[in-house]
Amino acid sequence: MPVMDGWEFLIERNRDPAIVPAPVIIFTAAAGLDAVALRALGAEDVLRKPADPADLLAAVRRHALAGPPRAGAG
């Protein structure tokens, strides 16, 4: 993202209770990324670029169809 990375986005998102429930899928080319830490901050999924389009679609479906997002994510 031009203004902030995924870490910064999740931190800022967690400050706004109105948007915390929105599921976030991190899609990144960053090497050595700590997917566990990103999930702890509230990311629903972490996919690495280049990703198979089927994997991206599966992640979107999984989280779009999962019902209400996690309460208190982050």
Side-chain angles (χ1 to χ4, degrees), residues 25 44-45 47 55-67:
I25 299 171
E44 298 296 330
D45 225 324
L47 299 174
D55 292 339
L56 177 58
L57 183 58
V60 170
R61 284 183 176 153
R62 184 169 45 252
H63 301 297
L65 300 175

Side-chain angles (χ1 to χ4, degrees), residues 19-71:
I19 61 173
V20 167
V24 173
I25 299 171
I26 301 290
F27 192 53
T28 183
L33 193 70
D34 188 347
V36 173
L38 285 167
R39 285 188 179 100
L41 280 174
E44 298 296 330
D45 225 324
V46 179
L47 299 174
R48 301 204 190 279
K49 293 178 189 175
D52 183 320
D55 292 339
L56 177 58
L57 183 58
V60 170
R61 284 183 176 153
R62 184 169 45 252
H63 301 297
L65 300 175
R70 296 182 303 189

